[in-house]
Every structure is written in C-alpha cells, then in structure tokens.
Amino acid sequence: MGTFKWPVTVSTLDGQRSADIEATVDTGSLYCAMPARLLRGLGIEPERKSRMRLADGRLVDVELGPAYIAINGERAPMLVSFSEDGAPILLGALALECLRLSVDPEAQRLIPNPEIPLY
C-alpha cells in the first residue's frame, strides 16, 4: 500500500494544549510517531521505554507517552512514540483501530468503519 498524509490533532490528556499536524498514514506502524520536540512542547512527557523494530530492521529503544489523537472530530487516548526531529510523523494502526477508521488506498483517504468493534 502506498502512503498518504492526513490531518490529525494531537493533544494532552486534559485537552489544554493541542496541535494540528499532518501525519503519514502507515498501517505498518503500530504506534503513532511524532517528534519529541512537538510532544514535549505540548507538555506530553514519556511514561515508559520500549524496544521496537523499525522498517529498516534496526531495533531501537523508544519513549512512549500518553496523548489524545483526533481525526474528523473523533478522538481516542493512546501511547505515542517520541521520534527524532526530521523523522516522519506517522499515524499508526492502533490509532486507526481506536478511531474506527479504515484506509482506502486507491482514493488515499480514511473512511469510518462501524464494523470495527468498540473497545
């Protein structure tokens, strides 16, 4: 599947600070990934570290922290990966599932999918 960009809002869990960003839809990524500078600038801090395998096969330790991800007015809390400056902002599979969205790769869009069960 090719990738495409989609508007996303990331915010603190209390909703006090947020940023509108454009993320690359990446169903091959589990978590959303955003620059650490952006997340920390909003007041989002890492809560844990996890070892993950990148697309190029490398194993890296990444920091994860809690945030709300919102698309088209729907939002869900999730762990976000703190990435390096310049790394692509990724919208991962967990966010898509939690927001009950499916990918239409031909039209390069996200579409609501009511068949995805609520958690």
Side-chain angles (χ1 to χ4, degrees), residues 8-11 13 30-34 39 44 47-48 64-71 74-82 90-100 119:
V8 173
T9 301
V10 59
S11 66
L13 293 182
L30 186 61
Y31 293 101
C32 294
M34 299 177 187
L39 295 171
I44 299 167
E47 288 188 342
R48 67 174 109 168
L64 298 169
Y68 268 113
I69 301 297
I71 296 175
E74 297 291 328
R75 71 180 188 150
M78 60 200 55
L79 289 174
V80 198
S81 172
F82 286 60
L90 302 177
L91 180 63
L94 280 177
L96 296 172
E97 289 281 326
C98 289
L99 292 167
R100 301 176 75 202
Y119 295 98

Side-chain angles (χ1 to χ4, degrees), residues 11-86:
S11 66
T12 56
L13 293 182
D14 65 9
Q16 296 298 309
R17 299 178 80 184
S18 65
D20 294 323
I21 57 176
E22 193 169 76
T24 299
V25 176
D26 184 359
T27 58
S29 294
L30 186 61
Y31 293 101
C32 294
M34 299 177 187
R37 181 180 301 181
L38 167 71
L39 295 171
R40 286 192 170 99
L42 292 172
I44 299 167
E45 293 295 331
E47 288 188 342
R48 67 174 109 168
K49 287 188 178 183
S50 181
R51 182 160 285 219
M52 293 185 190
R53 186 170 305 278
L54 300 180
D56 65 8
R58 290 182 295 140
L59 278 174
V60 296
D61 291 321
V62 297
E63 295 179 314
L64 298 169
Y68 268 113
I69 301 297
I71 296 175
N72 299 335
E74 297 291 328
R75 71 180 188 150
M78 60 200 55
L79 289 174
V80 198
S81 172
F82 286 60
S83 60
E84 299 174 2
D85 290 338

